[in-house]
Amino acid sequence: MATVALILNALTVVLGSFQYGHHIGELNSPQKVITTCPDPPTPPNNPNTTLGGMGLSSQGLGDGLSSSLPTCIPMTNAEWSVLVATLTLGGFIGSLFVGSRLANRLGRRGALMVNNAPLVLGSLTMGMASSYGAMLLGRFLVGLGCGAVTVIVPMYLAEISPAELRGTLGVMNQLGIVVGILFSQVLGLYYSTATEWRTILMAGAGLAVIQVFALPFCQESPRYLALQPGGALKAKKSLQVLRGRQDVAKEIRDWTRQDERAIVAEEEGALGASPLLNDASDPLLVGGYGPSGEDIQDHNSNATHGSGGLSVVEFVTMPRYRRPLIILSLVQLSQQLSGINGVIFYSTAIMSQILPSSGAMITVYISIVNVIMTLIAAYVMDKAGRRTLLMASATAMGVSSFLLAWSLNYQIPKLSAFSIIAFVATFAIGLGPIPFLIIPEVVDTAAVASASAVALSVNWTTNFIVSVMFLKLQEWWGGNVFYLFFVILGLLTIAINKIIPETRGKTVEEVAKSWQPSHRH
């Protein structure tokens, strides 16, 4: 049952996802006003002259600040694409090298607290930028913070969730993202002007400050605390607050047993799959750990209590995590290769080509639909299978992508608008939330931080490629670029069907057993 404390803790942490969503959408609507300078350069002897000879504004963020900043920063489409994609470069580094390390060393709550520093600094740098280089720097810093957020927030939500609400609370991460995108699009409607576009970019700093003040009132993840030496009592107290009851010992014992049995199941599956995996040099495979509770407890303690979790290198190289690595990489690739961020980043530009007077509003409608469908996903996530929802989502997105390509090529505005909305809506029920949600469902607690880091680095890398290439592909191929996504989604649907196990309602141990030779079909 969801308690008030559980909900408040989840909402506070999801402010991180909200910031990520805001930064995804913040450059969408103001692209034209940022990159286009309608006025001629100001003469050099004019006191209002700025670096590069661009005109200045005396309105907007305040006379003192705005009078020293240009009203625009000219960029080509290629430069704009690089600026948009720089978020993903920072995100890659933040997810792979920052998020997991902070989460293991400072705890999930402490990691989010520290992580707000680059989010504040990046937002302020972008909001006060007077050059393209400053915009790139700010975007990169914001990306660092967003990358760490994508690792830490889903992990925290999974670790505080009771089993029966694991899917519903897990979807809150995606809900935070889509509400953040909607927030940025609404700001874009009102502030995409030559004098006020900086307000959109600086709003992220305010969101980060709000979370900094709210986080001290949250509980640290009890599952993280349970991994620390002597942390059992702290874990118990944290869980008692979250559950609103004193009797939580059984739930803590269940965590430990599930993680220990998952390690054994994964090792047995790996050892049965290939004799090469029985490597005496791997200390976690030495000693023939079996189902004996004492042996497993020592094994789990040795694996985790030194640092609070496995490192990224250990996760990638340990044979028992090979199958989870393949699964997590596939779902992350599926999310980004679907083309979703091409639509989110450039939906205003796409729709403005065929509906010049309505492009920005349609972008807002898209975000509203995204929020509604994510709420629906939260309702069905613990009722329908993860694998079923992934396949349904990928299939429906493929159909929507085909219709979008066809309608763009033949200039059918209403069908184009419908196709984009359907594309985003069907993303929200499967490929949106599940790649984040599934991570702690296929690896044990000790490995979840590093598994998240690796999985999200795959996500950010693919995101970067799509972000950089989308506008260029659209220039070359026009609407045909969505035929490419149609083909990719078809291939991904086949791969999901063959590789992804069902995880709903299962422990990590049960999921691990599903890919052992005797369970494969």
Side-chain angles (χ1 to χ4, degrees):
M1 183 181 70
T3 63
V4 173
L6 180 67
I7 293 171
L8 290 177
N9 274 254
L11 288 175
T12 300
V13 169
V14 166
L15 279 172
S17 304
F18 185 94
Q19 292 181 70
Y20 172 37
H22 168 67
H23 291 301
I24 288 176
E26 66 185 347
L27 294 180
N28 196 335
S29 295
Q31 175 182 357
K32 187 174 181 180
V33 297
I34 294 174
T35 61
T36 305
C37 296
D39 298 324
T42 308
N45 60 352
N46 190 310
N48 285 337
T49 300
T50 66
L51 184 63
M54 291 176 287
L56 300 176
S57 166
S58 60
Q59 306 172 18
L61 294 172
D63 291 343
L65 177 61
S66 61
S67 63
S68 62
L69 297 173
T71 59
C72 60
I73 301 175
M75 300 176 214
T76 64
N77 275 347
E79 289 172 329
W80 182 260
S81 295
V82 171
L83 175 64
V84 171
T86 298
L87 178 79
T88 63
L89 178 61
F92 171 82
I93 296 173
S95 62
L96 186 58
F97 299 111
V98 178
S100 62
R101 293 185 181 185
L102 288 179
N104 280 336
R105 293 179 182 179
L106 304 179
R108 311 336 186 192
R109 182 184 62 178
L112 283 173
M113 181 76 76
V114 171
N115 187 58
N116 277 295
L119 290 168
V120 170
L121 185 58
S123 296
L124 294 178
T125 301
M126 290 184 71
M128 295 187 289
S130 59
S131 67
Y132 180 63
M135 290 284 282
L136 286 174
L137 175 60
R139 187 75 168 164
F140 176 78
L141 290 172
V142 162
L144 279 178
C146 289
V149 159
T150 60
V151 171
I152 301 165
V153 173
M155 187 191 318
Y156 180 89
L157 292 175
E159 291 175 354
I160 67 170
S161 300
E164 67 274 12
L165 294 176
R166 192 172 65 191
T168 300
L169 282 181
V171 173
M172 285 185 66
N173 173 65
Q174 183 68 12
L175 183 62
I177 294 172
V178 298
V179 173
I181 293 172
L182 175 60
F183 173 74
S184 69
Q185 303 294 6
V186 171
L187 287 181
L189 280 181
Y190 293 99
Y191 294 102
S192 292
T193 67
T195 59
E196 296 181 314
W197 58 265
R198 295 176 184 276
T199 304
I200 304 171
L201 307 184
M202 296 182 74
L207 297 173
V209 169
I210 291 172
Q211 188 180 49
V212 166
F213 280 103
L215 279 171
F217 299 97
C218 292
Q219 297 298 309
E220 180 54 87
S221 159
R223 295 193 73 153
Y224 166 79
L225 292 172
L227 283 177
Q228 309 310 305
L233 183 59
K234 292 180 181 178
K236 180 179 179 181
K237 290 180 179 179
S238 174
L239 193 61
Q240 285 172 337
V241 173
L242 292 170
R243 297 292 181 264
R245 64 175 188 270
Q246 295 297 308
D247 183 16
V248 294
K250 181 180 182 300
E251 185 173 355
I252 294 176
R253 286 196 301 270
D254 287 344
W255 294 342
T256 306
R257 289 170 180 169
Q258 287 170 14
D259 283 345
E260 290 162 354
R261 291 195 298 259
I263 289 172
V264 173
E266 287 161 348
E267 287 180 355
E268 288 175 348
L271 292 169
S274 170
L276 297 176
L277 302 185
N278 192 6
D279 183 358
S281 66
D282 187 344
L284 292 178
L285 293 178
V286 173
Y289 291 104
S292 144
E294 183 178 354
D295 287 343
I296 299 171
Q297 180 64 40
D298 291 342
H299 166 53
N300 195 40
S301 177
N302 291 337
T304 63
H305 282 184
S307 62
L310 300 177
S311 70
V312 168
V313 173
E314 288 172 321
F315 173 75
V316 172
T317 56
M318 283 185 181
R320 73 166 180 263
Y321 294 120
R322 189 165 298 165
R323 183 76 176 195
L325 179 60
I326 293 171
I327 292 167
L328 297 179
S329 296
L330 175 59
V331 293
Q332 300 299 332
L333 285 170
S334 299
Q335 184 186 79
Q336 294 304 322
L337 289 179
S338 69
I340 185 62
N341 277 334
V343 171
I344 296 296
F345 284 148
Y346 303 112
S347 58
T348 300
I350 294 170
M351 295 312 302
S352 293
Q353 294 175 9
I354 51 179
L355 293 169
S357 61
S358 306
M361 273 307 302
I362 288 178
T363 297
V364 173
Y365 295 149
I366 290 170
S367 296
I368 292 172
V369 169
N370 203 357
V371 171
I372 293 171
M373 293 304 296
T374 303
L375 288 169
I376 293 173
Y379 175 75
V380 303
M381 195 58 64
D382 284 316
K383 295 177 173 60
R386 316 282 197 250
R387 183 169 169 274
T388 301
L389 288 173
L390 280 172
M391 291 181 61
S393 177
T395 302
M397 288 179 72
V399 173
S400 301
S401 189
F402 181 90
L403 292 175
L404 180 56
W406 189 68
S407 62
L408 287 171
N409 286 340
Y410 290 95
Q411 293 290 300
I412 309 174
K414 290 183 179 179
L415 182 57
S416 295
F418 170 80
S419 299
I420 285 183
I421 291 173
F423 187 89
V424 173
T426 51
F427 172 82
I429 64 169
L431 281 175
I434 293 176
F436 299 106
L437 173 62
I438 202 173
I439 297 172
E441 295 184 335
V442 298
V443 294
D444 51 272
T445 304
V448 72
S450 293
S452 298
V454 174
L456 271 302
S457 67
V458 172
N459 186 298
W460 283 104
T461 301
T462 317
N463 190 339
F464 176 80
I465 294 170
V466 173
S467 302
V468 168
M469 293 299 298
F470 184 83
L471 269 185
K472 184 58 66 177
L473 289 175
Q474 193 184 28
E475 287 178 7
W476 292 343
W477 299 345
N480 291 324
V481 66
F482 288 100
Y483 284 132
L484 172 62
F485 291 125
F486 165 71
V487 173
I488 291 173
L489 283 160
L491 295 174
L492 290 172
T493 303
I494 296 171
I496 289 168
N497 183 46
K498 289 184 174 295
I499 296 174
I500 305 301
E502 182 51 64
T503 61
R504 180 181 68 93
K506 296 182 179 180
T507 65
V508 178
E509 173 204 4
E510 291 168 337
V511 174
K513 286 182 177 179
S514 71
W515 55 69
Q516 291 182 35
S518 60
H519 288 78
R520 292 174 189 162
H521 34 249

